[in-house]
Amino acid sequence: MWLFKRKGPSGFSSSSTAEEVTQGIDGSGLTAIVTGASSGIGAETARVLALRGVSVIMGVRNMAAGQEVKDAIVKETPEAKVDVLELDLSSLASVRNFAKEFNSSGRPLNILINNAGVMGTTFELSKDDIELQFATNHLGHFLLTNLLLDTMKKTCHQTKREGRIVIVASEFHRYTYREGVRFDKINDQEGYNRYLAYGQSKLSNVLHANELARRLKEDDADITANSLHPGGITTNLYRHSGIFRGLGSIIGKFVYKNIPQGASTTCYVALHPQVKGIRGEYFDNSNIAKASSMAMDADLARRLWDFSVSLTKPNDS
């Protein structure tokens, strides 16, 4: 990608890579979970965090693919500390099993990166009978975050180091249904539009980060929560979307980021000291950006939180 290279206040731009935005940062002693780490920007995020000394747990649906990524990381960086655990974000039972396994391990957790996602799927219900994009991109991560929060708080208290929750959203959060989130029509097949449904799930990501940040601040927890747009990237995320696959092959080299560039904002928000203490912000190209007015609607965020609790029942786990 070469069209938009102007550096922002952070000193980085759309052409910055994940390695560049974390250059010189020592992540030793930190532990991070990265969901969707078996391909694309999730795999690159795991690789770069491990390169910086972070102990990484890859939450993946495809264990064989996850193991291949782990093997490649360890081959490149023999001292890397990487583990692979099974996690299907479209299944609340899988999310609970993952959280239970991790929490019972006694390991610390400094960084949670909610990266996994699907895009532009035809109408389909999840294993829990919830529209698939909303279930995978938002609800699974909502439950996962809630189930891991106590471990993060304990880690912060014991280590005196700031915890960070990073939620990978998208500029598509601006292109959703008229009402933003269709609370009363989440499973409405007749009115379903695959791209607006994706936008709904990405809007939910930003709203989740904002409300989570507010609650953590209210609890006086030393944990931040932020959301971000990784950029247009030609990755496996587009496997369900023929129109975007076509665009990627035609204009991708001029407009889209490559994977190292696509993982940069995630790694920046997760590790860079410039982000210390910043919460409830939306990042793009490793700089603070402005989300949509709907994404900044505090009442909508609170309503989504309550709706998500009613669907996931985190306190029952």
Side-chain angles (χ1 to χ4, degrees), residues 2-312:
W2 53 264
L3 288 183
F4 310 106
K5 292 188 176 182
R6 181 180 297 176
K7 292 181 179 179
S10 69
F12 302 113
S13 72
S14 61
S15 63
S16 299
T17 66
E19 286 197 27
E20 289 170 350
V21 303
T22 58
Q23 186 66 42
I25 295 175
D26 182 7
S28 300
L30 297 175
T31 300
I33 288 175
V34 183
T35 71
S38 62
S39 65
I41 63 174
E44 177 68 359
T45 297
R47 182 189 75 82
V48 172
L49 293 185
L51 180 66
R52 301 304 178 217
V54 179
S55 178
V56 178
I57 297 89
M58 301 168 53
V60 302
R61 185 169 52 85
N62 185 328
M63 289 293 286
Q67 188 61 47
E68 286 184 13
V69 172
K70 175 187 174 179
D71 292 345
I73 291 173
V74 173
K75 183 177 181 180
E76 177 191 9
T77 310
E79 66 274 18
K81 297 180 285 291
V82 184
D83 291 300
V84 184
L85 292 181
E86 186 172 5
L87 174 62
D88 180 355
L89 271 303
S90 70
S91 165
L92 298 180
S94 177
V95 172
R96 289 191 172 89
N97 288 339
F98 176 93
K100 183 178 180 180
E101 182 175 356
F102 180 81
N103 288 334
S104 64
S105 72
R107 299 181 68 172
L109 182 60
N110 305 92
I111 303 166
L112 172 61
I113 299 177
N114 292 335
N115 165 80
V118 294
M119 176 185 183
T121 58
T122 55
F123 183 82
E124 183 179 347
L125 296 179
S126 70
K127 295 178 178 66
D128 304 284
D129 293 326
I130 302 164
E131 189 275 309
L132 186 63
Q133 295 191 80
F134 186 77
T136 305
N137 299 350
H138 168 63
L139 279 184
H141 284 123
F142 179 86
L143 177 61
L144 179 68
T145 302
N146 273 280
L147 296 180
L148 295 174
L149 263 183
D150 283 347
T151 296
M152 291 196 75
K153 289 178 179 178
K154 181 180 178 181
T155 300
C156 288
H157 180 72
Q158 292 177 341
T159 64
K160 308 303 180 186
R161 301 180 75 168
E162 177 185 83
R164 296 186 183 183
I165 297 171
V166 183
I167 301 179
V168 179
S170 168
E171 277 291 280
F172 261 91
H173 81 271
R174 303 179 192 279
Y175 308 104
T176 180
Y177 296 106
R178 180 179 55 81
E179 58 268 58
V181 180
R182 307 174 80 201
F183 296 106
D184 300 323
K185 298 180 179 179
I186 276 295
N187 290 345
D188 178 27
Q189 184 173 0
E190 185 176 344
Y192 180 80
N193 177 293
R194 63 168 70 187
Y195 302 117
L196 295 181
Y198 179 69
Q200 172 180 249
S201 72
K202 295 290 102 178
L203 171 64
S204 298
N205 289 155
V206 184
L207 291 167
H208 176 208
N210 293 348
E211 177 64 9
L212 178 60
R214 186 190 69 80
R215 288 169 178 258
L216 289 168
K217 184 178 181 180
E218 193 174 76
D219 291 344
D220 202 28
D222 191 19
I223 303 173
T224 63
N226 293 288
S227 58
L228 64 92
H229 171 54
I233 309 146
T234 50
T235 71
N236 199 37
L237 180 66
Y238 293 100
R239 63 190 178 276
H240 300 290
S241 179
I243 183 172
F244 288 103
R245 283 202 309 271
L247 283 173
S249 64
I250 298 169
I251 61 174
K253 65 181 179 180
F254 300 112
V255 176
Y256 289 143
K257 292 183 177 182
N258 58 37
I259 288 174
Q261 291 167 339
S264 63
T265 305
T266 302
C267 290
Y268 173 78
V269 177
L271 277 187
H272 207 286
Q274 289 179 351
V275 187
K276 182 175 175 58
I278 295 176
R279 62 184 75 213
E281 294 288 354
Y282 176 72
F283 288 79
D284 186 10
N285 295 328
S286 300
N287 284 275
I288 292 177
K290 188 174 182 180
S292 70
S293 58
M294 192 173 284
M296 302 306 294
D297 186 330
D299 291 334
L300 183 61
R302 281 190 285 269
R303 186 180 178 191
L304 175 66
W305 185 281
D306 292 341
F307 182 64
S308 302
V309 167
S310 72
L311 291 174
T312 60

